[in-house]
């Protein structure tokens, strides 16, 4: 089956590095196609590679330990502006930059981070699982927040059966720009494809209605319940409005 390149698509290299394909250019003499792609890390520099090699499979003789089929694989969890990827230890300084803002943690229900070391510990012990992602801007490669469901989001909401709890946040510079809604839709579509759950539950502090608007834009419906979640930061006396979505 012929693989087609997606311009402005994010691809994961088999060494777990991420790149954005910007264009396909032709060699002026041979007319051979070359892929122009930008790093989503470091200096965000641009590279070129023969299209045939870019789309080729991983050399199993050289890399028998790699499970990924192709050198560069298209990342499923992406939209026009953002993509979701696993958290990495190298994200600790950026996470601290965003999560040390007291306004962010207060609204999301977790204590503001006090050091880069604490942020690294959160990545390693809370975010490192198959259902929690960093939200990353395609344009810059910058992490802007988190999206997830399951253990990293559990907070005592009245779940039905095995339905997981959904949670998310973005840093203050990215509020009111639709990023949370965009990221949540990506994750929910992914969950529907996986077919593991019939519904999900979430909630927001009643003094943070903007988070509820994100959920409602993605199809969540209020259950009519409010509860206290003392497990959350400052959650002892702040009611949480409960919403549910059937997948």
């Amino acid at each position: 089956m012929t693989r087609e390149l997606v311009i402005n698509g994010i691809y994961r290299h088999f060494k777990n590095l991420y790149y954005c394909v910007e264009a396909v250019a032709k060699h002026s003499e041979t007319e051979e196609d070359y892929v122009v792609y930008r790093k989503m890390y470091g200096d965000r520099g641009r590279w070129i590679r023969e299209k045939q090699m870019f789309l080729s499979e991983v050399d199993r003789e050289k890399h028998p330990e790699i499970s990924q089929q192709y050198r560069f694989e298209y990342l499923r969890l992406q939209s026009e502006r953002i993509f979701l990827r696993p958290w990495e230890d190298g994200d600790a300084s950026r996470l601290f930059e965003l999560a040390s803002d007291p306004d962010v943690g207060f609204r999301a229900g977790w204590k503001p981070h006090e050091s880069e070391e604490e942020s690294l510990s959160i990545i390693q012990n809370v975010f490192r699982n198959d259902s929690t992602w960093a939200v990353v801007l395609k344009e810059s490669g910058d992490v802007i927040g988190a999206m997830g469901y399951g253990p990293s989001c559990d907070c005592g909401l009245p779940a039905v059966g095995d339905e997981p709890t959904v949670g998310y946040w973005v840093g203050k510079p990215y509020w009111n720009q639709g990023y949370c809604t965009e990221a949540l839709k990506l994750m929910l579509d992914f969950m529907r494809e996986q077919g593991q759950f019939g519904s999900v539950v979430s909630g927001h502090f009643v003094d943070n209605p903007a988070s509820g608007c994100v959920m409602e834009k993605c199809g969540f419906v209020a259950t009519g319940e409010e509860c206290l979640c003392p497990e959350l930061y400052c959650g002892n006396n702040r009611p949480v409005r409960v919403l549910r979505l059937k997948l």
Side-chain angles (χ1 to χ4, degrees), residues 14-246:
F14 70 87
K15 294 183 179 179
N16 205 34
L17 298 171
Y18 295 84
Y19 301 88
C20 181
V21 170
E22 295 190 330
V24 175
K26 283 190 178 294
H27 191 287
S28 60
E29 296 180 0
T30 67
E31 294 193 351
E32 185 177 5
D33 286 338
Y34 283 78
V35 179
V36 181
Y37 57 108
R38 175 167 43 93
K39 297 190 293 184
M40 292 283 97
Y41 59 92
D43 63 3
R44 313 296 200 264
R46 288 174 173 82
W47 289 349
I48 62 170
R49 183 183 294 256
E50 295 175 353
K51 181 179 178 181
Q52 183 177 358
M53 180 177 288
F54 189 95
L55 294 175
S56 66
E57 295 190 8
V58 174
D59 188 329
R60 297 297 171 191
E61 292 186 3
K62 291 184 178 179
H63 305 283
E65 76 286 359
I66 300 299
S67 60
Q68 183 167 311
Q69 180 178 0
Y70 296 100
R71 285 178 174 271
F72 294 85
E73 290 197 350
Y74 183 74
L75 194 64
R76 165 65 185 83
L77 292 168
Q78 60 180 293
S79 62
E80 182 177 351
R81 300 188 299 168
I82 61 172
F83 65 98
L84 308 185
R85 63 158 172 79
W87 284 89
E88 303 167 354
D89 288 357
D91 296 323
S93 60
R94 177 59 172 169
L95 176 58
F96 175 63
E97 180 183 352
L98 298 172
S100 58
D101 187 323
D103 288 338
V104 177
F106 179 77
R107 284 166 172 76
W110 40 262
K111 183 174 67 70
H113 294 197
E114 297 180 356
S115 68
E116 190 172 318
E117 291 72 23
E118 180 183 8
S119 293
L120 176 59
S121 178
I122 294 295
I123 290 172
Q124 295 176 337
N125 298 299
V126 180
F127 289 170
R128 185 148 297 161
N129 56 64
D130 293 333
S131 58
T132 305
W133 296 271
V135 182
V136 186
L137 287 181
K138 278 189 175 182
E139 182 177 5
S140 65
D142 291 333
V143 172
I144 64 171
M147 175 64 60
Y149 66 89
S152 67
C153 307
D154 288 345
C155 59
L157 291 177
V160 175
D162 64 348
E163 66 180 5
T165 299
V166 166
Y168 53 83
W169 60 270
V170 295
K172 190 187 291 185
Y174 308 98
W175 289 359
N176 301 315
Q177 298 175 57
Y179 290 120
C180 271
T181 303
E182 204 166 321
L184 181 55
K185 286 180 178 178
L186 278 177
M187 187 183 73
L188 292 172
D189 286 345
F190 173 76
M191 294 179 73
R192 291 185 179 100
E193 289 180 4
Q194 297 299 302
Q196 184 178 359
F197 302 103
S199 62
V200 293
V201 66
S202 193
H204 65 92
F205 290 118
V206 295
D207 56 14
N208 182 26
S211 184
C213 289
V214 169
M215 297 175 205
E216 289 169 345
K217 288 177 183 177
C218 294
F220 280 78
V221 176
T223 66
E225 302 167 279
E226 289 186 1
C227 64
L228 293 177
C229 296
E231 305 92 340
L232 299 178
Y233 179 66
C234 297
N236 285 320
N237 56 3
R238 297 170 65 204
V240 172
R241 178 173 173 249
V242 181
L243 295 92
R244 177 167 284 109
L245 172 68
K246 291 185 178 180

